[in-house]
């Protein structure tokens, strides 16, 4: 690398010179020297490589399924569901932690539980919420002072932080692995975790940011004042880490993207070459000149070059103004081209191979990034992908259970078990049919079958209940309307008989209803247009019969719908 490009053989038989070590590439000069530097590199790779970004993002989201709650209390389950999903957004938090795990090889989470800070006067014991007071804070000693509104005493005050049971203010905190230090005991497997408070937070505290000062836990304010590392209490931080060989520091996970650093460097060199070629050689330069001929007739010998060039430039300007302009030249004009061969020089194929190597190093199927992955075409690949994610899924389930336990303990709720649902391949029709057959054979339950199909059985039961109640209510209302109608028809018939002078005419109510049932059954077999025509004719001929037929038609249609619902309930689920 220092001017001598020969590769002589040393006395030990090794090559010396520009490239002495075949196992060391030029890219190794840019390798990170520490684990924290490695984290910065993996951050850079995540945001600057399209393949790594797409693969890691999908890989982080893929194992996050719906949350299952295992509890006998529906009320408690509903409370936890609202807390974890509606308030905390636990699925999003799990995706973020999974993303940290794939990028850094480590993910750190803790819980922040809400509190209110009160300042208490040391003279008169006056106490009030810090947000309602005009206080002063000394960041180098982590002390508060104020002028007491009650006794007007000025000086230091006592700080009291009181927890408040407000689930809406609980927060899941993710910590930057670059700011975390670990003291690990490889024999017991126990670790102590220390946090370096971010420099921008420190600056805001020392600059008197009252929002941060009022809401930051006192333990962190004291740490900042003492310029020390913040130590987490046992069990107050959850650490997920990627699996690594025994020779690597067991307290830390090793970033899975490490093997892609040199591959990305190689791909960047190729892209840089493409960029240079595109800037220099894509657009050709055209040179116009008198066309040389053989012998003494060469125009260069007799032609005024300055006049020729001026005429050519003038004609080019005229041609740009008028594309139909015709140039007159006393000699043939030749055109030579410089550059323009950039397409042939491009290294697209090498870039594609380098990017494929990056995907292979991450352990992702190529279709997982570019799309097209299906169960029927790549069932083995998908199964391998699921096995590869088992470690991440196990840790994510542990994190979910840890969050649930922490929240339940803080709020005073009974703890329930929560876990992520199993992976599902939505296009695996054979597995779905097998599950249906097992259900029909009585081997698996409705709950298992519903979970496999992604159906919330409790929600569906509630919907069926509501539909049944609505249909029953409609049927009762129809029966009441029918009774009122029959009563009216009976009265109308008696009035008609009285108007005809008591000629002995009688009104047979059951006969009218029976005839209406026959007509309604016939109309049910007809198409919509024919049915409407027949009803119009019946209305003109006998309005009383028409009214009864309308009621019987509605009853028949409702009976058919209820029968279909009952068949669904008897079958369990469709």
């Amino acid at each position: 690398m220092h001017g001598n490009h020969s590769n002589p053989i040393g006395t030990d038989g090794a090559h010396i010179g520009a490239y002495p070590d075949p196992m060391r590439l030029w890219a190794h000069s840019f390798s990170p020297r520490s684990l924290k530097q490695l984290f910065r590199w993996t951050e850079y790779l995540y945001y600057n490589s399209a393949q790594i970004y797409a693969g890691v993002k999908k890989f982080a989201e893929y194992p996050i399924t719906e949350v299952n709650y295992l509890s006998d209390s529906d009320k408690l389950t509903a409370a936890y569901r609202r807390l974890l999903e509606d308030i905390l957004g636990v699925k999003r938090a799990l995706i973020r932690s999974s993303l940290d795990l794939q990028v850094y090889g480590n993910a750190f989470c803790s819980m922040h539980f809400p509190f209110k800070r009160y300042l208490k006067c040391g003279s008169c014991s006056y106490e009030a919420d810090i947000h309602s007071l005009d206080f002063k804070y000394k960041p180098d000693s982590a002390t508060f002072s104020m002028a007491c509104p009650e006794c007007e005493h000025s000086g230091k005050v006592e700080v009291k932080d009181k927890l408040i049971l407000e689930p809406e203010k609980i927060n899941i905190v993710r910590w930057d692995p670059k700011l975390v230090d670990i003291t690990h005991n490889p024999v017991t497997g126990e670790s102590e975790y220390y946090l370096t408070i971010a420099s921008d937070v420190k600056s805001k505290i020392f600059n008197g940011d009252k929002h941060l000062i009022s809401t930051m836990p006192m333990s962190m304010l004291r740490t900042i004042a003492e310029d020390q590392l913040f130590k987490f209490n046992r069990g107050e931080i959850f650490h997920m880490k990627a699996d690594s060989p025994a020779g690597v520091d067991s307290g830390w996970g090793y970033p899975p993207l490490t093997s892609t650093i040199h591959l990305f460097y190689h791909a960047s060199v190729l892209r840089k070459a493409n960029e240079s070629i595109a800037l220099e050689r894509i657009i050709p330069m055209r040179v116009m000149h008198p066309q040389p001929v053989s012998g003494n007739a060469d125009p260069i010998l007799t032609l005024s070059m300055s006049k020729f060039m001026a005429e050519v430039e003038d004609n080019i300007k005229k041609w740009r103004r008028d594309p139909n302009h015709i140039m007159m030249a006393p000699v043939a004009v030749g055109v030579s081209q410089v550059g323009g061969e950039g397409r042939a020089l491009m290294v697209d194929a090498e870039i594609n191979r380098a990017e494929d190597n990056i995907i292979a190093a991450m352990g992702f199927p190529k279709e997982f990034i570019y799309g097209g992955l299906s169960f029927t075409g790549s069932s083995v690949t998908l199964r391998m992908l699921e096995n590869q994610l088992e470690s991440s899924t196990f840790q994510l389930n542990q994190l979910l259970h840890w969050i649930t336990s922490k929240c339940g303990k803080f709020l005073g709720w009974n703890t329930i078990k929560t876990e992520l649902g199993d992976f599902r391949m939505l296009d695996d029709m054979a597995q779905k049919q097998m599950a249906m057959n097992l259900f029909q054979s009585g081997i698996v339950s409705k709950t298992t079958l519903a979970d496999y199909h992604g159906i919330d059985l409790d929600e569906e039961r509630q919907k069926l209940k509501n539909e049944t109640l609505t249909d029953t209510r409609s049927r009762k209302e129809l029966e009441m309307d029918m009774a009122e109608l029959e009563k009216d028809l009976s009265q109308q018939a008696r009035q008609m008989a009285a108007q005809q002078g008591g000629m002995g005419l009688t009104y047979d109510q059951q006969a009218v209803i029976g005839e209406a049932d026959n007509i309604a059954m016939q109309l049910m077999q007809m198409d919509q247009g024919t049915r409407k025509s027949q009803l119009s004719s019946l209305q003109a001929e006998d309005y009383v019969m028409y009214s009864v037929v309308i009621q019987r038609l509605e009853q028949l249609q409702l009976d058919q719908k209820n029968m279909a619902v009952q068949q669904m309930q008897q079958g369990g689920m469709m």
Side-chain angles (χ1 to χ4, degrees), residues 3 39 115 189 235 247 259 328 430 460 508 562:
F39 291 160
F115 65 89
S259 61
M328 305 298 292
E460 295 304 319
D508 190 345
N562 291 335

Side-chain angles (χ1 to χ4, degrees), residues 17-40:
Y19 304 101
D21 187 354
M23 299 301 294
R24 183 172 178 81
L25 303 175
W26 177 259
H28 291 140
S29 303
F30 301 92
S31 298
R33 298 294 185 265
S34 67
L35 188 62
K36 301 298 178 68
Q37 287 184 0
L38 181 58
F39 291 160
R40 296 185 184 278

Side-chain angles (χ1 to χ4, degrees), residues 504-524:
L505 295 176
T506 60
Y507 172 72
D508 190 345
Q509 177 178 327
Q510 295 302 323
V512 173
I513 295 176
E515 181 64 23
D517 284 337
N518 292 333
I519 296 174
M521 290 296 294
Q522 294 175 8
L523 292 174
M524 286 289 290

Side-chain angles (χ1 to χ4, degrees), residues 109-152:
C109 289
S110 67
M111 299 298 300
H112 169 72
F113 296 111
F115 65 89
K116 279 188 177 181
R117 177 158 293 160
Y118 294 86
L119 300 183
K120 182 179 179 181
C121 177
S123 176
C124 67
S125 299
Y126 172 80
E127 183 178 300
D129 187 348
I130 191 173
H131 295 287
S132 63
L133 299 173
D134 184 16
F135 65 90
K136 294 182 180 179
Y137 176 74
K138 291 185 177 181
D140 53 351
S141 60
T143 56
F144 292 82
S145 61
M146 70 172 184
C148 179
E150 189 74 18
C151 67
E152 298 182 355

Side-chain angles (χ1 to χ4, degrees), residues 203-218:
S203 298
K204 291 179 180 179
I205 295 294
F206 276 90
N207 290 331
D209 188 319
K210 289 201 170 184
H211 171 69
L212 275 180
I213 294 171
S214 302
T215 56
M216 184 73 69
M218 282 303 302

Side-chain angles (χ1 to χ4, degrees), residues 366-417:
K366 190 174 181 180
E367 298 84 359
F368 188 75
I369 296 177
Y370 293 109
L373 191 63
S374 63
F375 181 82
T376 54
S378 306
S379 57
V380 176
T381 303
L382 275 174
R383 188 62 61 189
M384 292 173 61
L385 187 63
E386 290 185 11
N387 293 336
Q388 187 176 346
L389 284 168
E390 281 298 324
S391 175
S392 300
T393 306
F394 175 74
Q395 295 188 80
L396 289 169
N397 270 316
Q398 286 185 317
L399 174 58
L400 175 61
H401 183 67
W402 182 79
I403 292 172
T404 305
S405 300
K406 282 287 184 182
C407 292
K409 183 178 179 181
F410 172 73
L411 296 171
W413 298 353
N414 292 331
T415 303
I416 67 173
K417 184 177 180 181

